[in-house]
Amino acid sequence: MIKYISLFSGIGAFEKALDNIGVKYELVNYCEVDKYASKAYSLIHNVPESMNLGDITKVDETKLPTEIDLMTYGFPCQDISSAGLQKGLRNEDGSKTRSGLFFDAIRIMKHCKPRIAIAENVKNLTSKRMSGVFDTVLSELEDAGYNNYWQVLNAADYGMPQGRERVFIISIRKDIDDRSFHFPPVIPLTKCMGDYLDDNVPSSFLLSEKQLSKIEVSNFQQEKRRIQDRGGICMTLLARDYKDPKCVQIADLHYYNMDMPNRIYSPEGISPTLKTVSGGGGEVKVLKNKLYRKLTPKEYFRLMGFSDSDYQILVDNGISKSQLYKMAGNSIVVTVLENLFKQIYKPVTQSIASLKQQSLDILNNI
Ligand SMILES: C[S@@+](CC[C@H](N)C(=O)[O-])C[C@H]1O[C@@H](n2cnc3c(N)ncnc32)[C@H](O)[C@@H]1O
């Protein structure tokens, strides 16, 4: 059983991954300032909200235990992301930015001295523009007594049809690091986005006329990028998508006979300019809003590697649709973490297995 402290916990993707691969852990505390995310964490992981340390800036680290095996901290990315102002860890006046809450994680790390600490952030942290920030991150970790291994991993390389590149920093305490850690090898993708989608979703997820006209008239190329091909991989799901969730094409261009709604004509079978159909009668209309729909929050959860029951318990407890989109977009794809943890905890399980085998061999030879 590993002793684990979770910072910037969100809905707990690290915890989900540990559960999924059967690594048992004792949660010391979780730490999440957002009341909806805290409630969601407590529901998904079945722990009381009293275990939440709350705002990390107010955490008195001296009250935390020192014998910790694992600390995870997917610190805020707003000031690192290419979509923001890229202020880095500090404002011009020297105060901490939201991403600068990294320093609070370091403060806790220096006290708790976890054997292993794992950070996750946007790929932009490794960009040329952010090189000073990344150097600071790595040198702070080094000064805290850790060897650091980092790599950008794409969720699509670890079993999930979502293009989501994130940097992972694995810090191993210098006194226990045997330099055997390697990032997980890429796994060929066997699933596509369509495997995670529902066939029937409420009509409220169909695009409105306004959204459709944006796709079809103005800025087509830009809007087209929002449309996902269900046979491929989906783009990075983001917290800000709650305002405008990613869309999927749900049907090819078909023409519906309004008098006989069950008759569907494919573009190959009928000229798009034809207004009436012999035999069918009536006017043929293109029901364009039946072509695309928004992804549902449930599908966001699935594409982040969470289960339908994780999603359902949040819905049953009154978490709103926009909060659900936000939480999913803020989280980490669980299958990536499963593969990462297998690299970290594999040596332990392997050595137990080899010890068992050695004992059996000895017994067999008696
Ligand atoms: C990138 S998300 C991490 C998501 C998480 N890794 C997961 O699996 O869902 C960053 C989280 O840090 C939380 N956060 C931001 N400021 C915080 C603070 N002052 N104290 C504690 N948590 C904070 C945010 O609410 C958000 O949930």
Side-chain angles (χ1 to χ4, degrees):
M1 173 93 71
I2 60 168
K3 228 170 168 177
Y4 170 47
I5 186 161
S6 166
L7 306 181
F8 309 111
S9 308
I11 52 174
F14 287 103
E15 294 77 340
K16 195 79 211 160
L18 289 171
D19 286 340
N20 289 354
I21 64 164
V23 175
K24 301 252 175 294
Y25 65 87
E26 178 202 340
L27 183 71
V28 174
N29 281 111
Y30 71 102
C31 179
E32 173 53 61
V33 78
D34 180 272
K35 67 174 180 179
Y36 301 109
S38 171
K39 180 176 172 184
Y41 183 101
S42 136
L43 287 165
I44 290 176
H45 302 287
N46 197 21
V47 292
E49 276 199 79
S50 56
M51 292 187 85
N52 183 7
L53 297 168
D55 183 350
I56 195 167
T57 62
K58 304 205 168 76
V59 171
D60 178 357
E61 71 277 13
T62 62
K63 299 230 164 74
L64 295 172
T66 51
E67 286 301 308
I68 302 275
D69 295 298
L70 175 67
M71 175 181 120
T72 59
Y73 62 112
F75 59 106
C77 64
Q78 288 94 333
D79 307 287
I80 296 169
S81 166
S82 55
L85 296 176
Q86 303 185 62
K87 286 184 188 167
L89 304 176
R90 296 212 181 265
N91 292 305
E92 277 169 17
D93 63 4
S95 59
K96 281 182 295 190
T97 60
R98 278 171 299 176
S99 295
L101 293 174
F102 163 78
F103 293 112
D104 289 278
I106 287 287
R107 177 171 55 81
I108 291 171
M109 191 171 175
K110 281 181 175 163
H111 172 79
C112 292
K113 297 199 169 23
R115 293 164 71 84
I116 294 174
I118 307 180
E120 179 259 9
N121 215 293
V122 288
K123 182 188 175 187
N124 201 44
L125 180 59
T126 66
S127 68
K128 208 169 170 188
R129 177 156 178 192
M130 282 287 129
S131 64
V133 173
F134 199 28
D135 285 349
T136 305
V137 166
L138 294 175
S139 67
E140 285 283 331
L141 289 166
E142 167 91 30
D143 292 349
Y146 288 81
N147 291 329
N148 303 295
Y149 306 87
W150 66 268
Q151 197 165 303
V152 172
L153 304 179
N154 188 340
D157 290 329
Y158 297 97
M160 186 57 72
Q162 182 187 158
R164 188 183 188 91
E165 291 184 297
R166 292 290 183 263
V167 60
F168 292 84
I169 310 168
I170 315 301
S171 303
I172 305 181
R173 217 173 60 205
K174 286 179 185 170
D175 62 305
I176 59 146
D177 187 17
D178 62 4
R179 301 266 179 199
S180 64
F181 174 77
H182 295 289
F183 278 91
V186 165
I187 303 165
L189 193 58
T190 55
K191 295 204 165 160
C192 66
M193 185 184 173
D195 293 326
Y196 293 78
L197 304 184
D198 282 321
D199 288 334
N200 296 309
V201 303
S203 58
S204 56
F205 289 95
L206 296 177
L207 293 193
S208 67
E209 283 299 325
K210 196 171 156 206
Q211 288 164 321
L212 271 172
S213 63
K214 254 168 93 183
I215 287 171
E216 292 184 356
V217 183
S218 72
N219 223 351
F220 180 77
Q221 280 311 322
Q222 193 194 332
E223 283 301 319
K224 207 175 137 201
R225 283 192 280 118
R226 285 190 338 121
I227 303 293
Q228 312 285 292
D229 168 12
R230 54 185 296 135
I233 63 171
C234 78
M235 294 159 50
T236 316
L237 304 178
L238 301 168
R240 64 173 182 270
D241 289 355
Y242 79 95
K243 290 185 192 148
D244 194 10
K246 300 275 184 325
C247 298
V248 62
Q249 185 163 353
I250 48 176
D252 292 332
L253 193 58
H254 285 92
Y255 299 88
Y256 292 73
N257 183 329
M258 296 307 280
D259 289 345
M260 301 175 73
N262 293 333
R263 288 273 291 266
I264 297 170
Y265 301 88
S266 81
E268 292 83 47
I270 186 168
S271 156
T273 53
L274 212 60
K275 287 279 185 266
T276 55
V277 193
S278 61
E283 195 180 351
V284 173
K285 288 223 168 112
V286 180
L287 296 188
K288 288 177 190 146
N289 67 338
K290 290 258 167 76
L291 296 179
Y292 313 109
R293 69 164 172 84
K294 294 170 202 165
L295 293 180
T296 65
K298 188 185 209 173
E299 291 164 338
Y300 264 59
F301 266 66
R302 286 180 186 157
L303 286 160
M304 294 303 294
F306 284 83
S307 67
D308 285 3
S309 56
D310 295 328
Y311 163 81
Q312 199 54 48
I313 196 169
L314 304 188
V315 173
D316 293 346
N317 283 277
I319 306 245
S320 73
K321 217 166 70 178
S322 50
Q323 287 299 334
L324 291 166
Y325 279 122
K326 268 192 210 173
M327 289 171 191
N330 252 340
S331 195
I332 308 172
V333 172
V334 175
T335 54
V336 176
L337 297 174
E338 288 170 12
N339 284 283
L340 202 51
F341 278 135
K342 280 183 194 162
Q343 295 299 104
I344 294 167
Y345 293 110
K346 181 178 68 179
V348 179
T349 33
Q350 270 186 348
S351 56
I352 291 171
S354 68
L355 275 175
K356 269 189 188 161
Q357 191 55 51
Q358 278 170 27
S359 318
L360 280 175
D361 291 346
I362 292 167
L363 284 173
N364 286 338
N365 288 328
I366 290 175

mmCIF file of all heavy atoms in Angstrom, residues 14 19 25 58 97 107 109-110 113 156 165 170 195 204 221 232 246 256 265 299 313 323 325 327 341 348 359:
data_model
loop_
_atom_site.group_PDB
_atom_site.id
_atom_site.type_symbol
_atom_site.label_atom_id
_atom_site.label_comp_id
_atom_site.label_asym_id
_atom_site.label_seq_id
_atom_site.Cartn_x
_atom_site.Cartn_y
_atom_site.Cartn_z
ATOM 1 N N PHE A 14 -5.145 10.688 -11.628
ATOM 2 C CA PHE A 14 -4.048 9.846 -11.137
ATOM 3 C C PHE A 14 -4.619 8.700 -10.280
ATOM 4 O O PHE A 14 -4.211 7.544 -10.409
ATOM 5 C CB PHE A 14 -3.084 10.674 -10.273
ATOM 6 C CG PHE A 14 -2.218 11.633 -11.047
ATOM 7 C CD1 PHE A 14 -2.508 12.994 -11.071
ATOM 8 C CD2 PHE A 14 -1.097 11.196 -11.735
ATOM 9 C CE1 PHE A 14 -1.700 13.891 -11.763
ATOM 10 C CE2 PHE A 14 -0.277 12.086 -12.432
ATOM 11 C CZ PHE A 14 -0.577 13.440 -12.445
ATOM 12 N N ASP A 19 -6.172 2.960 -9.316
ATOM 13 C CA ASP A 19 -7.242 1.978 -9.086
ATOM 14 C C ASP A 19 -7.305 0.979 -10.243
ATOM 15 O O ASP A 19 -7.376 -0.227 -10.037
ATOM 16 C CB ASP A 19 -8.619 2.675 -8.999
ATOM 17 C CG ASP A 19 -8.800 3.419 -7.690
ATOM 18 O OD1 ASP A 19 -8.076 3.091 -6.729
ATOM 19 O OD2 ASP A 19 -9.652 4.329 -7.639
ATOM 20 N N TYR A 25 -3.513 2.302 -2.605
ATOM 21 C CA TYR A 25 -2.918 3.480 -1.975
ATOM 22 C C TYR A 25 -3.753 3.933 -0.786
ATOM 23 O O TYR A 25 -4.967 3.733 -0.739
ATOM 24 C CB TYR A 25 -2.760 4.613 -2.993
ATOM 25 C CG TYR A 25 -4.055 5.173 -3.535
ATOM 26 C CD1 TYR A 25 -4.731 6.209 -2.872
ATOM 27 C CD2 TYR A 25 -4.613 4.686 -4.702
ATOM 28 C CE1 TYR A 25 -5.908 6.727 -3.372
ATOM 29 C CE2 TYR A 25 -5.801 5.201 -5.205
ATOM 30 C CZ TYR A 25 -6.436 6.215 -4.541
ATOM 31 O OH TYR A 25 -7.619 6.721 -5.027
ATOM 32 N N LYS A 58 -2.823 28.104 1.428
ATOM 33 C CA LYS A 58 -3.085 28.182 2.874
ATOM 34 C C LYS A 58 -2.704 26.893 3.600
ATOM 35 O O LYS A 58 -2.932 26.754 4.800
ATOM 36 C CB LYS A 58 -4.557 28.487 3.108
ATOM 37 C CG LYS A 58 -5.000 29.761 2.397
ATOM 38 C CD LYS A 58 -6.207 30.398 3.048
ATOM 39 C CE LYS A 58 -6.451 31.799 2.524
ATOM 40 N NZ LYS A 58 -7.041 31.825 1.196
ATOM 41 N N THR A 97 1.771 33.821 -10.299
ATOM 42 C CA THR A 97 0.597 33.683 -11.168
ATOM 43 C C THR A 97 -0.146 32.426 -10.714
ATOM 44 O O THR A 97 0.309 31.732 -9.799
ATOM 45 C CB THR A 97 1.039 33.477 -12.631
ATOM 46 O OG1 THR A 97 1.833 32.271 -12.668
ATOM 47 C CG2 THR A 97 1.834 34.650 -13.177
ATOM 48 N N ARG A 107 6.909 23.651 -2.015
ATOM 49 C CA ARG A 107 6.966 23.848 -0.557
ATOM 50 C C ARG A 107 6.494 22.571 0.159
ATOM 51 O O ARG A 107 7.149 22.092 1.107
ATOM 52 C CB ARG A 107 6.050 25.045 -0.219
ATOM 53 C CG ARG A 107 5.901 25.400 1.221
ATOM 54 C CD ARG A 107 5.151 26.738 1.376
ATOM 55 N NE ARG A 107 3.846 26.808 0.723
ATOM 56 C CZ ARG A 107 2.717 26.327 1.225
ATOM 57 N NH1 ARG A 107 2.724 25.725 2.387
ATOM 58 N NH2 ARG A 107 1.566 26.454 0.556
ATOM 59 N N MET A 109 6.355 19.585 -1.176
ATOM 60 C CA MET A 109 7.262 18.488 -1.554
ATOM 61 C C MET A 109 8.519 18.477 -0.666
ATOM 62 O O MET A 109 8.979 17.418 -0.238
ATOM 63 C CB MET A 109 7.650 18.716 -3.008
ATOM 64 C CG MET A 109 8.359 17.594 -3.686
ATOM 65 S SD MET A 109 8.436 18.074 -5.429
ATOM 66 C CE MET A 109 9.419 16.741 -6.062
ATOM 67 N N LYS A 110 9.041 19.683 -0.384
ATOM 68 C CA LYS A 110 10.263 19.773 0.420
ATOM 69 C C LYS A 110 10.022 19.243 1.824
ATOM 70 O O LYS A 110 10.909 18.686 2.452
ATOM 71 C CB LYS A 110 10.757 21.227 0.488
ATOM 72 C CG LYS A 110 11.488 21.639 -0.778
ATOM 73 C CD LYS A 110 11.982 23.064 -0.672
ATOM 74 C CE LYS A 110 12.807 23.467 -1.869
ATOM 75 N NZ LYS A 110 12.954 24.922 -1.989
ATOM 76 N N LYS A 113 8.694 15.177 1.319
ATOM 77 C CA LYS A 113 9.736 14.345 0.696
ATOM 78 C C LYS A 113 9.185 13.053 0.092
ATOM 79 O O LYS A 113 9.653 11.940 0.432
ATOM 80 C CB LYS A 113 10.835 14.015 1.708
ATOM 81 C CG LYS A 113 11.579 15.239 2.211
ATOM 82 C CD LYS A 113 12.906 14.874 2.814
ATOM 83 C CE LYS A 113 13.816 16.033 3.102
ATOM 84 N NZ LYS A 113 13.221 17.349 3.277
ATOM 85 N N ALA A 156 -3.229 9.785 -27.626
ATOM 86 C CA ALA A 156 -3.504 8.894 -28.761
ATOM 87 C C ALA A 156 -2.456 7.794 -28.885
ATOM 88 O O ALA A 156 -2.683 6.788 -29.561
ATOM 89 C CB ALA A 156 -3.573 9.705 -30.051
ATOM 90 N N GLU A 165 -1.555 16.275 -26.158
ATOM 91 C CA GLU A 165 -0.138 16.209 -25.802
ATOM 92 C C GLU A 165 0.083 16.969 -24.504
ATOM 93 O O GLU A 165 -0.264 18.155 -24.406
ATOM 94 C CB GLU A 165 0.705 16.835 -26.907
ATOM 95 C CG GLU A 165 0.717 16.028 -28.192
ATOM 96 C CD GLU A 165 1.642 16.653 -29.217
ATOM 97 O OE1 GLU A 165 1.368 17.799 -29.627
ATOM 98 O OE2 GLU A 165 2.624 16.000 -29.586
ATOM 99 N N ILE A 170 8.487 13.264 -14.106
ATOM 100 C CA ILE A 170 8.575 12.260 -13.046
ATOM 101 C C ILE A 170 9.809 12.612 -12.227
ATOM 102 O O ILE A 170 10.929 12.628 -12.748
ATOM 103 C CB ILE A 170 8.767 10.830 -13.632
ATOM 104 C CG1 ILE A 170 7.817 10.570 -14.810
ATOM 105 C CG2 ILE A 170 8.643 9.754 -12.547
ATOM 106 C CD1 ILE A 170 6.362 10.689 -14.518
ATOM 107 N N ASP A 195 -16.036 4.811 -31.199
ATOM 108 C CA ASP A 195 -16.218 3.746 -30.206
ATOM 109 C C ASP A 195 -16.643 4.302 -28.848
ATOM 110 O O ASP A 195 -17.053 3.544 -27.970
ATOM 111 C CB ASP A 195 -14.906 2.958 -30.027
ATOM 112 C CG ASP A 195 -14.555 2.168 -31.280
ATOM 113 O OD1 ASP A 195 -15.489 1.707 -31.962
ATOM 114 O OD2 ASP A 195 -13.353 2.044 -31.579
ATOM 115 N N SER A 204 -31.135 18.215 -27.907
ATOM 116 C CA SER A 204 -30.516 19.465 -27.444
ATOM 117 C C SER A 204 -29.031 19.529 -27.825
ATOM 118 O O SER A 204 -28.424 20.597 -27.790
ATOM 119 C CB SER A 204 -30.672 19.615 -25.937
ATOM 120 O OG SER A 204 -30.139 18.490 -25.287
ATOM 121 N N GLN A 221 -13.168 27.210 -42.834
ATOM 122 C CA GLN A 221 -11.988 26.391 -42.542
ATOM 123 C C GLN A 221 -11.729 26.295 -41.038
ATOM 124 O O GLN A 221 -11.449 25.246 -40.513
ATOM 125 C CB GLN A 221 -10.745 26.955 -43.250
ATOM 126 C CG GLN A 221 -10.665 26.585 -44.718
ATOM 127 C CD GLN A 221 -10.877 25.087 -44.971
ATOM 128 O OE1 GLN A 221 -10.427 24.250 -44.212
ATOM 129 N NE2 GLN A 221 -11.599 24.761 -46.038
ATOM 130 N N GLY A 232 -11.950 8.829 -36.620
ATOM 131 C CA GLY A 232 -10.565 9.189 -36.305
ATOM 132 C C GLY A 232 -10.378 9.433 -34.826
ATOM 133 O O GLY A 232 -11.024 8.806 -33.986
ATOM 134 N N LYS A 246 -16.898 20.453 -28.372
ATOM 135 C CA LYS A 246 -16.466 19.923 -29.661
ATOM 136 C C LYS A 246 -17.645 19.191 -30.318
ATOM 137 O O LYS A 246 -18.515 18.643 -29.631
ATOM 138 C CB LYS A 246 -15.310 18.930 -29.459
ATOM 139 C CG LYS A 246 -14.075 19.531 -28.800
ATOM 140 C CD LYS A 246 -13.195 20.188 -29.818
ATOM 141 C CE LYS A 246 -11.886 20.745 -29.349
ATOM 142 N NZ LYS A 246 -11.720 21.348 -28.071
ATOM 143 N N TYR A 256 -33.703 14.391 -46.675
ATOM 144 C CA TYR A 256 -34.867 13.779 -46.061
ATOM 145 C C TYR A 256 -36.113 14.224 -46.837
ATOM 146 O O TYR A 256 -36.279 15.407 -47.120
ATOM 147 C CB TYR A 256 -35.020 14.241 -44.607
ATOM 148 C CG TYR A 256 -33.926 13.718 -43.717
ATOM 149 C CD1 TYR A 256 -32.632 14.233 -43.782
ATOM 150 C CD2 TYR A 256 -34.191 12.711 -42.805
ATOM 151 C CE1 TYR A 256 -31.632 13.760 -42.969
ATOM 152 C CE2 TYR A 256 -33.185 12.238 -41.978
ATOM 153 C CZ TYR A 256 -31.914 12.759 -42.056
ATOM 154 O OH TYR A 256 -30.919 12.282 -41.234
ATOM 155 N N TYR A 265 -32.338 9.965 -48.487
ATOM 156 C CA TYR A 265 -31.657 9.837 -49.766
ATOM 157 C C TYR A 265 -30.204 10.247 -49.582
ATOM 158 O O TYR A 265 -29.920 11.284 -48.999
ATOM 159 C CB TYR A 265 -32.317 10.744 -50.815
ATOM 160 C CG TYR A 265 -33.768 10.411 -51.021
ATOM 161 C CD1 TYR A 265 -34.736 10.998 -50.224
ATOM 162 C CD2 TYR A 265 -34.140 9.499 -51.989
ATOM 163 C CE1 TYR A 265 -36.062 10.684 -50.387
ATOM 164 C CE2 TYR A 265 -35.475 9.181 -52.160
ATOM 165 C CZ TYR A 265 -36.438 9.769 -51.349
ATOM 166 O OH TYR A 265 -37.744 9.453 -51.508
ATOM 167 N N GLU A 299 -19.636 11.759 -22.995
ATOM 168 C CA GLU A 299 -18.624 11.364 -23.978
ATOM 169 C C GLU A 299 -17.281 12.029 -23.667
ATOM 170 O O GLU A 299 -16.216 11.425 -23.869
ATOM 171 C CB GLU A 299 -19.107 11.707 -25.392
ATOM 172 C CG GLU A 299 -20.278 10.839 -25.814
ATOM 173 C CD GLU A 299 -21.035 11.369 -27.019
ATOM 174 O OE1 GLU A 299 -20.962 12.589 -27.324
ATOM 175 O OE2 GLU A 299 -21.743 10.567 -27.650
ATOM 176 N N ILE A 313 -22.490 9.253 -11.249
ATOM 177 C CA ILE A 313 -22.598 9.622 -9.831
ATOM 178 C C ILE A 313 -22.567 11.152 -9.682
ATOM 179 O O ILE A 313 -23.218 11.724 -8.801
ATOM 180 C CB ILE A 313 -21.511 8.921 -8.970
ATOM 181 C CG1 ILE A 313 -21.882 9.004 -7.495
ATOM 182 C CG2 ILE A 313 -20.124 9.484 -9.190
ATOM 183 C CD1 ILE A 313 -21.043 8.153 -6.585
ATOM 184 N N GLN A 323 -20.179 22.294 -15.631
ATOM 185 C CA GLN A 323 -19.119 21.860 -14.703
ATOM 186 C C GLN A 323 -18.515 20.533 -15.157
ATOM 187 O O GLN A 323 -17.303 20.326 -15.060
ATOM 188 C CB GLN A 323 -19.670 21.706 -13.273
ATOM 189 C CG GLN A 323 -19.958 23.023 -12.576
ATOM 190 C CD GLN A 323 -18.716 23.898 -12.419
ATOM 191 O OE1 GLN A 323 -17.606 23.414 -12.377
ATOM 192 N NE2 GLN A 323 -18.928 25.207 -12.337
ATOM 193 N N TYR A 325 -18.262 19.362 -18.251
ATOM 194 C CA TYR A 325 -17.354 19.610 -19.385
ATOM 195 C C TYR A 325 -16.019 20.160 -18.859
ATOM 196 O O TYR A 325 -14.951 19.739 -19.284
ATOM 197 C CB TYR A 325 -17.945 20.638 -20.343
ATOM 198 C CG TYR A 325 -18.978 20.123 -21.326
ATOM 199 C CD1 TYR A 325 -20.257 20.658 -21.357
ATOM 200 C CD2 TYR A 325 -18.656 19.144 -22.268
ATOM 201 C CE1 TYR A 325 -21.205 20.228 -22.281
ATOM 202 C CE2 TYR A 325 -19.596 18.707 -23.194
ATOM 203 C CZ TYR A 325 -20.871 19.250 -23.197
ATOM 204 O OH TYR A 325 -21.794 18.823 -24.108
ATOM 205 N N MET A 327 -14.596 19.955 -15.849
ATOM 206 C CA MET A 327 -13.800 18.977 -15.076
ATOM 207 C C MET A 327 -13.099 17.992 -16.000
ATOM 208 O O MET A 327 -11.927 17.667 -15.794
ATOM 209 C CB MET A 327 -14.716 18.200 -14.127
ATOM 210 C CG MET A 327 -15.221 19.013 -12.982
ATOM 211 S SD MET A 327 -16.484 18.056 -12.130
ATOM 212 C CE MET A 327 -17.153 19.323 -11.075
ATOM 213 N N PHE A 341 2.192 4.714 -14.690
ATOM 214 C CA PHE A 341 2.322 4.055 -13.376
ATOM 215 C C PHE A 341 2.861 2.628 -13.508
ATOM 216 O O PHE A 341 3.568 2.148 -12.628
ATOM 217 C CB PHE A 341 0.981 4.046 -12.641
ATOM 218 C CG PHE A 341 0.676 5.332 -11.919
ATOM 219 C CD1 PHE A 341 -0.583 5.929 -11.999
ATOM 220 C CD2 PHE A 341 1.633 5.943 -11.121
ATOM 221 C CE1 PHE A 341 -0.865 7.111 -11.326
ATOM 222 C CE2 PHE A 341 1.360 7.134 -10.433
ATOM 223 C CZ PHE A 341 0.109 7.710 -10.543
ATOM 224 N N VAL A 348 8.423 -3.128 -8.784
ATOM 225 C CA VAL A 348 8.009 -3.715 -7.499
ATOM 226 C C VAL A 348 7.267 -5.020 -7.758
ATOM 227 O O VAL A 348 7.612 -6.066 -7.229
ATOM 228 C CB VAL A 348 7.076 -2.725 -6.740
ATOM 229 C CG1 VAL A 348 6.627 -3.338 -5.432
ATOM 230 C CG2 VAL A 348 7.779 -1.413 -6.520
ATOM 231 N N SER A 359 11.094 -18.702 -4.837
ATOM 232 C CA SER A 359 10.655 -19.535 -3.707
ATOM 233 C C SER A 359 10.108 -20.856 -4.230
ATOM 234 O O SER A 359 10.391 -21.921 -3.672
ATOM 235 C CB SER A 359 9.568 -18.835 -2.899
ATOM 236 O OG SER A 359 9.864 -17.506 -2.736
#
